[in-house]
Amino acid sequence: MDHKEAILLFEMITKKSLVQIERCSIGIANYVFIVSTAIEKFILRCSKDEQAYKDTVYWLNKLSVCEIPIPIVLSEGKYKDYSYLILSYIPGDDIGKVYYKLNDSEKKQIAREVVEIQRKVSNVDISTDSEWSGIIDIDWMGFGDILTFVAMTRVALLNMDLDTRYIDHLLDEMQPNTMEHKAFVFYCLMFCVDFMGERGMQFLDKTIPVNESIIRRLNNIFDMLMEEWNKCCER
């Protein structure tokens, strides 16, 4: 989806005049735009997957009772070949963009607040109206496991050649036991392999960059994590 089509979609759905539109650099599975009118901003997400935002809308509505900062679903539906979702805009920057500016105290405070949010979310009722007979596909099963996000963030920071003090603070807040720490290291390895697999792949109109330096860095990260895993297995 190009900017022109995104503008047409937004103005047709919202009946608001757009003054600026910016394609977000993060995210590879959807077209994501920051859209500005004369007085406010919105997030426009588009995908050719018909069910792309079914779960997103469901969980945003579920989490709205938790008193945590999440966007509001303003509109969802179909436009030509696309599913679209319009959300309220929450000011701020992706942590990866500002991480190098944060001092250790700020990283510790963010970690404390993130873990507190996770504790609130853990109280959300995830029961459904349907009877469950069993779970047979657990590739991305994440309910109840807060360590997956920490592991992915750690690998992302290592991949950006940044310090991992934020991860130390998150683990300090969570206090994982020996078995949980072993699971955390395993998740780190899993995400490292996932990062490796994305290199050179095409997502929508974006190609994930790959070169000898990137390959060498990811291999070094994997070797370091494998060493940690072996030490965990020795205990």
Side-chain angles (χ1 to χ4, degrees), residues 84-115:
Y84 73 83
L85 182 63
I86 299 177
L87 302 168
S88 61
Y89 176 80
I90 298 178
D93 287 310
D94 182 80
I95 192 170
K97 293 182 178 180
V98 300
Y99 188 83
Y100 70 96
K101 298 179 182 178
L102 302 175
N103 59 40
D104 193 58
S105 177
E106 290 169 328
K107 293 171 187 174
K108 187 174 184 178
Q109 179 62 27
I110 293 171
R112 185 180 298 118
E113 292 179 9
V114 167
V115 173

Side-chain angles (χ1 to χ4, degrees), residues 80-224:
K80 296 184 178 179
D81 295 333
Y82 294 95
S83 298
Y84 73 83
L85 182 63
I86 299 177
L87 302 168
S88 61
Y89 176 80
I90 298 178
D93 287 310
D94 182 80
I95 192 170
K97 293 182 178 180
V98 300
Y99 188 83
Y100 70 96
K101 298 179 182 178
L102 302 175
N103 59 40
D104 193 58
S105 177
E106 290 169 328
K107 293 171 187 174
K108 187 174 184 178
Q109 179 62 27
I110 293 171
R112 185 180 298 118
E113 292 179 9
V114 167
V115 173
E116 181 58 31
I117 287 172
Q118 288 181 319
R119 288 172 180 150
K120 289 181 179 179
V121 170
S122 69
N123 294 318
V124 172
D125 179 15
I126 62 171
S127 60
T128 67
D129 296 331
S130 303
E131 299 273 332
W132 285 29
S133 60
I135 300 172
I136 62 172
D137 188 352
I138 60 172
D139 294 37
W140 289 99
M141 192 66 182
F143 287 127
D145 195 339
I146 61 177
L147 290 169
T148 51
F149 128 78
V150 187
M152 182 175 68
T153 305
R154 183 191 183 196
V155 175
L157 291 174
L158 290 170
N159 188 47
M160 291 186 286
D161 201 25
L162 296 171
D163 74 81
T164 56
R165 289 293 297 154
Y166 174 54
I167 305 304
D168 295 338
H169 294 313
L170 284 170
L171 294 175
D172 286 344
E173 290 290 328
M174 295 177 179
Q175 291 293 302
N177 59 33
T178 301
M179 183 59 69
E180 289 167 338
H181 181 75
K182 186 176 181 179
F184 166 71
V185 177
F186 176 80
Y187 293 146
C188 289
L189 278 164
M190 178 185 74
F191 283 116
C192 184
V193 173
D194 190 45
F195 278 35
M196 289 172 166
E198 287 181 351
R199 292 296 159 181
M201 291 186 65
Q202 180 82 24
F203 294 92
L204 300 178
D205 56 349
K206 295 180 180 179
T207 300
I208 307 301
V210 60
N211 55 46
E212 288 296 327
S213 177
I214 292 172
I215 293 172
R216 184 165 50 253
R217 180 172 67 249
L218 285 170
N219 282 337
N220 288 339
I221 293 171
F222 181 86
D223 290 342
M224 179 193 72

Side-chain angles (χ1 to χ4, degrees), residues 37-56:
T37 65
I39 58 174
E40 54 190 334
K41 289 185 177 181
F42 304 88
I43 295 295
L44 170 63
R45 299 171 62 90
C46 300
S47 172
K48 288 198 172 182
D49 181 352
E50 289 188 5
Q51 300 295 320
Y53 304 120
K54 178 182 178 182
D55 291 342
T56 300

